[in-house]
Amino acid sequence: MSTLEQDVHALQSQVRRQRRWNLGLGALVVVGGLMAATAERSVPDVIQAKKFEVVNEEGVAVVKIHSFQGGGVIWGFDKKRVPTFCVTTQTGTDGVSLGTVTTMNGRGQKLVELGVDKEMNGSVITKGGKGGTLVQLGSGPSGGAVTTKNGKGQTLVQLGSNKGGGSVTTKNGNGGTLVQITANSNGGAVTTQNGKGGSLVLIAADRNGGGAVLAQDAEGNIKATLP
């Protein structure tokens, strides 16, 4: 065999090997594409973990989700890592699940609380920057109630209901009643007090359907009546 024939034979062998490599590489590309397409279409139904965190561009965790006392908790933070809101679900002492939502200011102090009271009724509480309650929406023995406070725990105004109907009560900073507007079996009534429990003036409807005015001194002695 001449040198030329040897060169031609070697070249043919190289071409055949190159064709085999090209076919194998093409098959790998096709299989890889099919696997990638299958992976893109496959979405997990449930993702489970004990804790999730969402971070911002600076790597600060701005949302945290985790479990607490048998329930779930969602925290929100600002870029300074100060909490701004919290959503919790936990189990009360009687085994009943309780849900609460709390918003906070930039110093982490509670401002608004949405939750459940001891009677398992809804409750909304707004607070000042120092933590004292300012307004409370809840329930009383006969129905809904709205209470305003001075931030130190003392009630200033109460709007609620009694067995006869609506009720409005204003108080001083020491808890003493000043004015009370209520409804009874005869009709409406307005009572002014001295803040120490003593009634001074009573304006109300009498049993006959007419109006009545009663004035008393601080000791409860009647001074004047109409009619």
Side-chain angles (χ1 to χ4, degrees):
M1 181 180 296
S2 64
T3 304
L4 179 60
E5 292 176 343
Q6 291 178 352
D7 293 341
V8 172
H9 181 73
L11 182 60
Q12 290 176 342
S13 299
Q14 290 179 1
V15 171
R16 287 194 294 268
R17 286 196 298 269
Q18 186 63 42
R19 286 179 178 176
R20 289 195 291 268
W21 276 106
N22 291 340
L23 290 174
L25 182 60
L28 288 175
V29 171
V30 172
V31 172
L34 291 175
M35 293 179 65
T38 303
E40 291 178 357
R41 291 195 299 268
S42 179
V43 178
D45 294 332
V46 179
I47 299 176
Q48 291 184 332
K50 293 183 177 180
K51 186 176 182 179
F52 289 96
E53 289 189 357
V54 178
V55 300
N56 59 13
E57 293 79 2
E58 300 174 354
V60 177
V62 293
V63 178
K64 293 183 179 181
I65 305 174
H66 60 89
S67 61
F68 177 72
Q69 294 184 355
V73 180
I74 302 175
W75 283 95
F77 300 86
D78 61 14
K79 61 182 180 180
K80 297 181 180 180
R81 295 181 172 87
V82 178
T84 56
F85 73 87
C86 179
V87 181
T88 63
T89 301
Q90 52 186 315
T91 303
T93 55
D94 54 358
V96 179
S97 296
L98 306 175
T100 61
V101 178
T102 304
T103 63
M104 308 166 194
N105 58 19
R107 291 174 289 183
Q109 298 166 321
K110 296 179 180 179
L111 296 181
V112 181
E113 292 182 346
L114 288 77
V116 183
D117 60 19
K118 295 180 180 180
E119 287 73 30
M120 300 302 294
N121 297 313
S123 173
V124 180
I125 299 175
T126 63
K127 296 186 176 185
K130 298 181 179 179
T133 298
L134 300 179
V135 180
Q136 184 171 358
L137 286 74
S139 61
S142 302
V146 179
T147 303
T148 64
K149 298 187 177 184
N150 59 3
K152 298 180 180 180
Q154 290 92 358
T155 297
L156 299 180
V157 180
Q158 277 185 320
L159 286 77
S161 60
N162 55 27
K163 295 181 180 180
S167 173
V168 179
T169 303
T170 64
K171 298 187 177 185
N172 57 24
N174 299 320
T177 299
L178 300 179
V179 179
Q180 195 169 29
I181 304 174
T182 60
N184 53 40
S185 57
N186 297 324
V190 179
T191 305
T192 63
Q193 299 185 15
N194 57 9
K196 299 180 180 179
S199 297
L200 301 179
V201 178
L202 172 64
I203 303 174
D206 59 20
R207 297 179 180 178
N208 300 320
V213 179
L214 173 66
Q216 300 179 150
D217 59 18
E219 285 73 29
N221 300 314
I222 297 177
K223 294 300 182 179
T225 59
L226 291 173

